[in-house]
Amino acid sequence: MEATTSRDAVTAQAALERLVRGIEAEGLGALGAHVLIGEDEAAHRWAPDVRIDVESVAKGVAVLAAGIAHDEGVFDIDAAVARYLPDLATGDGVAEVTIRHLLTMTSGIDLPWTPTLFEDWPDLAREFLSRPSRGRVTQYANASTYTAMRALAAVVGDVSDWLAPRLFAPLGIDDVGWERCPNGWIKAAGGLHLRTEELARIGRLIRDRGVWRGRRIISTRWIDAMHADWIATGGSPGYEHYALSGWAGPGTAWRLHGAYGQLLVFAGDAVVTITADDHPGGLRMAELAVQSVSA
């Protein structure tokens, strides 16, 4: 079925079929796709429906955790990270780094990702905070989100367990697996395992600005901050502007984007969720997602 020429008349099924055709025509390695437009939903699979690591989309879930804790009055996103981790020595300029700086990747602390990141350092947060900050410049680092969640853990205990009744259970997501560092803390910036449709539920919550089927889960301001006050990163096309876990684009859309093509793409009242195993094809799949829901 072809999408009609009116944006308002595009159904989820029509958008999905357009997306599937585009992905298959270009040989992209998608595993599953879900389209939500208004209350209309459609899904397609290329592989068995099992939970996979949603990679850096987990950074958005970490933001949700921090926002919920802030709403409850137990955590201050604009407080210095050193307030919550006073036993960890800080490098030059790091005393001024806040939780928000960590979550927007503007800590200015340089600790590049490696496949053995968590094995390289006995305590990754300690190593991260001990390095100097270059000020409010973009420095994308998984260690940044990890350290923010270590700070949250200092007040709520195990973040995954604390978040379960506040976020996952209301969305009907049970027994969530979140990979852990050698010291037992969640890896935070990745390692969160979800099915495509489970990830789509998080997408619906974000699209509906923190409300899940009539129940307020998180304040609107944290959802809005995911795609507002864009920070220029100096990155390559498609990765030029970042906010509180969200990337700008394609076009007027925005997205949560994980390695190997894990995507939540937000375009008006539409959310396209893709899980994949195609690192170089991720941005192209995001472009096809936007095209699929557009007239």
Side-chain angles (χ1 to χ4, degrees), residues 70-240:
H70 191 113
D71 288 345
E72 292 186 4
V74 299
F75 194 60
D76 184 355
I77 286 181
D78 291 305
V81 63
R83 168 179 165 183
Y84 297 105
L85 298 171
D87 295 336
L88 303 188
T90 55
D92 291 346
V94 177
E96 290 74 43
V97 171
T98 67
I99 302 299
R100 188 186 296 269
H101 294 147
L102 294 180
L103 295 174
T104 57
M105 301 296 166
T106 55
S107 74
I109 304 171
D110 186 18
L111 202 168
W113 178 87
T114 69
T116 57
L117 184 65
F118 289 98
E119 289 71 43
D120 292 342
W121 312 109
D123 186 328
L124 182 58
R126 185 180 298 275
E127 175 64 27
F128 185 67
L129 293 179
S130 73
R131 298 187 176 201
S133 168
R134 296 186 292 116
R136 303 290 72 78
V137 297
T138 301
Q139 195 65 51
Y140 192 88
N142 280 9
S144 191
T145 306
Y146 170 81
T147 302
M149 292 297 98
R150 280 282 299 275
L152 179 58
V155 294
V156 305
D158 186 88
V159 171
S160 184
D161 290 347
W162 177 85
L163 195 57
R166 292 167 171 82
L167 175 66
F168 297 127
L171 273 56
I173 304 173
D174 301 320
D175 300 320
V176 172
W178 207 327
E179 293 176 21
R180 296 175 181 272
C181 74
N183 292 323
W185 310 101
I186 61 166
K187 290 186 176 180
L192 177 63
H193 291 248
L194 297 170
R195 295 184 178 88
T196 312
E197 196 272 336
E198 291 172 334
L199 184 58
R201 296 179 211 173
I202 294 173
R204 176 190 279 267
L205 173 72
I206 293 171
R207 184 204 65 176
D208 293 347
R209 303 180 73 203
V211 174
W212 174 255
R213 301 191 183 280
R215 175 181 172 181
R216 170 69 60 188
I217 302 295
I218 184 172
S219 293
T220 296
R221 61 173 167 162
W222 306 119
I223 303 299
D224 292 349
M226 287 179 157
H227 58 109
D229 300 324
W230 294 110
I231 298 160
T233 66
S236 58
Y239 303 92
E240 298 160 303

